[in-house]
Amino acid sequence: MNVDGKPTRTLWLDQDGTGVCILDQTRLPHELVIRILHTADDAAHAIRTMQVRGAPLIGATAAHGLALAMRADPSDDGLAAAHGLLLATRPTAINLRWALDRVRAALAPLAPAEREGAARRLAVEICDEDVAINRGLAAHGLPLLQEAWARKGRRGRVEVLTHCNAGWLATVDWGTALAPVYAAHDAGLPVHVWVDETRPRNQGASLTAWELARHGVPHTLIADNAGGHLMQHGYVDLCIVGTDRTTARGDVANKIGTYLKALAARDNGVPFHVALPSPSLDTSLRDGLQEIPIEQRDPSEVTHISGLLPSGELASVRIAPAGCPAVNHGFDVTPARLITSLITERGVCPASEEGLRALFPERFPAP
Amino acid sequence: MNVDGKPTRTLWLDQDGTGVCILDQTRLPHELVIRILHTADDAAHAIRTMQVRGAPLIGATAAHGLALAMRADPSDDGLAAAHGLLLATRPTAINLRWALDRVRAALAPLAPAEREGAARRLAVEICDEDVAINRGLAAHGLPLLQEAWARKGRRGRVEVLTHCNAGWLATVDWGTALAPVYAAHDAGLPVHVWVDETRPRNQGASLTAWELARHGVPHTLIADNAGGHLMQHGYVDLCIVGTDRTTARGDVANKIGTYLKALAARDNGVPFHVALPSPSLDTSLRDGLQEIPIEQRDPSEVTHISGLLPSGELASVRIAPAGCPAVNHGFDVTPARLITSLITERGVCPASEEGLRALFPERFPAP
């Protein structure tokens, strides 16, 4: 999407094709810093430290990480080591395994000398596919916003609440949950986004608010605690969130706190949609609550917050007593029963095995 | 309660009886700063800037504020002006009006020369009553924790989740929601508290975590987003929160985000209790969602966070893009249907008019 009028992606090859350029998302919204990944270690570091994050972008970066690994060591051992290194970076997003397995399967039959080029071509293909998938989410999600607008008698604004960042910064371009929002905005629909700040890492405050502002989409930042109150008072027409992994029956792992918003949406009759690009679908699992691994991150993300000092310097401040114990679960699981629909690149479906099977029959064993 | 072994209150008269000492809660958990209020303006400033906060403590401070006003100007005009000044500081907690109206009603018939002394005696009485009420909450709430402990077969710990700060720092002493927790801990019950950090002002991280640590109660800080996940996985035995105002039918206004936790508690079969000291009961209202005024505070509380730099200095950092629009509702309303019980100083009752009427018949008109 646009950064102050200039179309921008989150990841691209540098001019001589040897490095992979990324926007360092740990510096947003305060600084636009581009970093260049030269090795699989660089890619693993970028994923682990959340310089890149968001399930689709994690997958795309991992694919490029394998390509970088093949330049250094295209042997079978090199391939296995890089696959293992990258897979261990983050546990919850299924796109990571999906992308790594896909690249490894394509490379394994090839002679080592062919692997670097093939890996890079496939990584670029995965990136372009991501953009195409997200355009599909935009196309299939847009009618949900148009219908909300019609239900309001085309008065006021379509009020969307989103959690965390499932915008273009979470993908290569367009985003997942925000793809329909961008499509609506670009089509002239008056859309406004309530942006959950999304503690503890504040991806809403730092990334969603930033990218919406850069593209010119009206929005308002709120504390995560505020969404229920807004829904109780009729200020939210629909919720759209992303997903790090969705099971065969439609249980959705997404950023911690998503479940609370789904409960509030149900209690207030607000539609709750999940934007699900098919690489985030994991049909090997059924019960999301029991089966999806939930990442536990460093407690310091809860006890400390980074931001910009009045002097213009970035700094981390401690907000809890010294030595305060904390836990930091990165994701929660929203059961399918709370989800109005899944928005996929092949259409919108109920959050159920039947719904998913109808759109993605090849992903399910024959009944 | 104890601060590192020393019994401490949030508010007390200074040695010569002319000033009112408070703990400046905007400096916690990083510094223990005592401020002395000498005028009604000082008291209004302390309430408005949240040097003191929490419904019961707001009421107690306002009562002392009227006493300070009577020293400067005990005329009828002085009384009316100070009542108006203090009432305008915060809109949601009903204790503020309750305390101010009570003191004004006691002073109005008196000669001006008698008012200062009478106001101070009544303010001290209100503070002592608050402590007595909270001991009542402790006594009536303790069995809820003992029952939870028995249900677990007296294994592990009693896991309590609380939101915001309804501990002794929100009152003169003991607290409301935390009063039963302190009673349980002091009685040797193994209790552990999940502390919601409570964005945007982080009263959980800065106050609840601090006071629990100082008294020695085991606790763990979590992001507000995490409570649903913890309840889904059985890590919470009961929730206890405070209230800024509860209506005749048991709708509860409390810190923004309380409603989301009540929804998660219901969805997971976790009891959700509200500690309701009777001065927070407002029987003049029925429908909390429509009738309780909800304070909107400065958006900068959402876009900026204060904390301690590694250098030991306090600083405010911006966590959102420059100029990012934000809204900041301070409270939300949890409908009575989501509340398991109200813990009052006269006993535990259902969150309903019948329940409240049975305990506080004098507060309701005859049916």
Side-chain angles (χ1 to χ4, degrees):
Chain A
M1 307 311 291
N2 288 348
V3 174
D4 304 323
K6 185 181 168 213
T8 309
R9 287 187 169 190
T10 53
L11 181 153
W12 64 97
L13 288 177
D14 67 0
Q15 287 195 319
D16 65 5
T18 61
V20 178
C21 303
I22 59 165
L23 298 182
D24 181 349
Q25 301 193 25
T26 64
R27 308 307 284 266
L28 289 174
H30 307 298
E31 297 176 323
L32 195 59
V33 174
I34 294 168
R35 298 200 184 279
I36 306 182
L37 314 177
H38 292 290
T39 67
D41 276 328
D42 290 348
H45 178 264
I47 296 170
R48 196 182 304 112
T49 62
M50 296 179 67
Q51 290 176 346
V52 293
R53 23 66 53 202
L57 182 56
I58 288 171
T61 307
H64 274 292
L66 271 192
L68 293 170
M70 291 302 92
R71 185 189 316 148
D73 176 3
S75 70
D76 286 356
D77 284 354
L79 180 58
H83 183 281
L85 167 76
L86 289 158
L87 187 62
T89 50
R90 306 267 324 259
T92 302
I94 190 62
N95 307 57
L96 180 64
R97 176 178 282 281
W98 169 86
L100 288 169
D101 286 358
R102 181 170 163 188
V103 176
R104 184 177 61 180
L107 300 187
L110 302 182
E114 298 172 12
R115 286 176 174 172
E116 183 194 348
R120 184 167 301 113
R121 284 187 298 276
L122 186 48
V124 168
E125 189 179 313
I126 284 173
C127 290
D128 290 342
E129 273 180 25
D130 175 64
V131 179
I133 286 171
N134 298 339
R135 286 180 187 274
L137 301 178
H140 292 296
L142 174 58
L144 298 172
L145 280 82
Q146 290 169 323
E147 288 156 19
W149 177 228
R151 277 198 301 276
K152 296 183 93 167
R154 301 176 176 276
R155 277 191 298 273
R157 310 182 291 195
V158 179
E159 301 283 355
V160 179
L161 184 143
T162 193
H163 190 67
C164 197
N165 176 263
W168 69 266
L169 289 171
T171 65
V172 177
D173 203 355
W174 275 89
T176 59
L178 293 188
V181 169
Y182 286 120
H185 176 78
D186 290 355
L189 211 66
V191 60
H192 168 262
V193 183
W194 296 107
V195 177
D196 273 4
E197 66 172 337
T198 318
R199 283 281 292 150
R201 285 187 65 100
N202 292 323
Q203 294 95 333
S206 58
L207 304 179
T208 299
W210 182 84
E211 65 163 88
L212 289 173
R214 295 287 79 70
H215 196 78
V217 180
H219 61 282
T220 303
L221 180 64
I222 52 175
D224 300 308
N225 284 322
H229 173 76
L230 295 176
M231 291 190 227
Q232 285 178 309
H233 288 275
Y235 296 139
V236 179
D237 297 315
L238 69 166
C239 302
I240 314 180
V241 301
T243 177
D244 293 82
R245 189 184 307 210
T246 291
T247 70
R249 71 180 193 193
D251 293 342
V252 166
N254 192 46
K255 183 60 50 187
I256 191 85
T258 300
Y259 166 57
L260 295 172
K261 294 302 144 60
L263 286 168
R266 184 183 60 171
D267 200 47
N268 293 285
V270 173
F272 190 89
H273 304 289
V274 176
L276 168 65
S278 63
S280 299
L281 175 62
D282 182 357
T283 54
S284 76
L285 305 184
R286 292 191 52 76
D287 182 338
L289 211 50
Q290 298 306 320
E291 297 180 69
I292 298 176
I294 299 295
E295 179 176 9
Q296 282 207 45
R297 298 185 56 84
D298 196 296
S300 68
E301 294 184 351
V302 177
T303 55
H304 293 64
I305 293 184
S306 291
L308 202 70
L309 289 167
S311 66
E313 284 172 286
L314 285 172
S316 170
V317 294
R318 174 162 58 77
I319 59 168
C324 181
V327 295
N328 184 11
H329 296 91
F331 303 88
D332 63 20
V333 172
T334 300
R337 65 185 155 85
L338 298 177
I339 297 165
T340 308
S341 68
L342 302 171
I343 305 168
T344 82
E345 70 270 26
R346 293 189 189 170
V348 172
C349 73
S352 66
E353 179 165 342
E354 297 66 36
L356 284 164
R357 190 186 282 272
L359 290 180
F360 299 97
E362 78 282 8
R363 300 287 293 275
F364 288 83
Chain B
M1 306 311 292
N2 288 348
V3 174
D4 304 322
K6 184 180 166 216
T8 309
R9 287 187 169 191
T10 53
L11 180 152
W12 64 96
L13 288 177
D14 67 1
Q15 287 196 318
D16 64 6
T18 61
V20 177
C21 302
I22 59 165
L23 298 182
D24 181 349
Q25 301 193 24
T26 65
R27 310 305 285 265
L28 289 174
H30 307 298
E31 296 175 322
L32 194 59
V33 175
I34 294 167
R35 299 201 184 278
I36 307 182
L37 314 178
H38 292 291
T39 66
D41 276 328
D42 289 349
H45 178 264
I47 297 170
R48 197 182 303 114
T49 62
M50 297 179 67
Q51 289 176 347
V52 293
R53 25 63 56 202
L57 182 55
I58 287 171
T61 307
H64 273 292
L66 271 192
L68 294 170
M70 291 303 91
R71 185 190 314 148
D73 176 4
S75 69
D76 286 358
D77 284 355
L79 180 57
H83 183 281
L85 168 77
L86 289 158
L87 187 60
T89 50
R90 306 269 320 261
T92 302
I94 189 64
N95 307 57
L96 180 62
R97 175 178 282 282
W98 169 86
L100 289 170
D101 287 358
R102 181 169 164 189
V103 177
R104 184 176 61 178
L107 300 188
L110 302 182
E114 297 172 12
R115 285 176 174 170
E116 183 193 348
R120 183 167 301 113
R121 285 189 296 275
L122 185 48
V124 168
E125 191 179 311
I126 285 172
C127 289
D128 290 342
E129 274 180 26
D130 175 65
V131 179
I133 285 171
N134 298 338
R135 286 180 187 274
L137 300 178
H140 292 295
L142 174 59
L144 298 173
L145 279 81
Q146 290 169 324
E147 288 156 20
W149 177 228
R151 277 198 303 275
K152 296 183 92 165
R154 301 176 177 275
R155 276 192 297 273
R157 311 182 290 194
V158 180
E159 301 282 354
V160 179
L161 183 143
T162 194
H163 189 66
C164 196
N165 174 264
W168 69 268
L169 289 172
T171 65
V172 176
D173 203 355
W174 275 89
T176 58
L178 293 189
V181 170
Y182 286 120
H185 176 78
D186 289 356
L189 210 66
V191 60
H192 168 263
V193 183
W194 297 108
V195 178
D196 273 2
E197 64 171 336
T198 317
R199 282 281 292 151
R201 285 187 66 102
N202 291 324
Q203 293 96 332
S206 58
L207 304 179
T208 300
W210 182 83
E211 66 163 88
L212 289 173
R214 295 287 78 71
H215 196 79
V217 180
H219 61 281
T220 303
L221 180 65
I222 53 174
D224 300 308
N225 284 323
H229 173 78
L230 294 175
M231 291 189 225
Q232 286 177 310
H233 289 274
Y235 296 138
V236 179
D237 296 316
L238 70 165
C239 301
I240 314 180
V241 301
T243 177
D244 292 83
R245 189 185 307 212
T246 291
T247 70
R249 72 180 195 193
D251 293 341
V252 167
N254 192 46
K255 183 61 49 191
I256 191 86
T258 300
Y259 165 58
L260 295 171
K261 295 301 144 61
L263 287 168
R266 185 184 59 172
D267 200 47
N268 293 285
V270 174
F272 190 90
H273 303 290
V274 176
L276 168 66
S278 63
S280 299
L281 175 61
D282 182 358
T283 54
S284 75
L285 305 185
R286 291 190 53 75
D287 181 339
L289 210 52
Q290 298 306 319
E291 298 180 69
I292 298 176
I294 299 296
E295 179 175 9
Q296 282 207 42
R297 297 185 57 84
D298 197 296
S300 68
E301 293 183 353
V302 177
T303 55
H304 292 66
I305 294 183
S306 291
L308 202 69
L309 290 167
S311 65
E313 284 173 285
L314 286 171
S316 170
V317 294
R318 175 162 58 78
I319 60 169
C324 182
V327 295
N328 183 12
H329 296 91
F331 303 87
D332 64 20
V333 172
T334 300
R337 65 184 155 85
L338 298 177
I339 297 164
T340 308
S341 68
L342 302 171
I343 305 167
T344 82
E345 69 269 27
R346 294 189 188 168
V348 171
C349 72
S352 66
E353 179 165 342
E354 298 65 37
L356 284 164
R357 191 186 281 272
L359 290 180
F360 299 97
E362 77 283 9
R363 300 287 294 275
F364 288 82

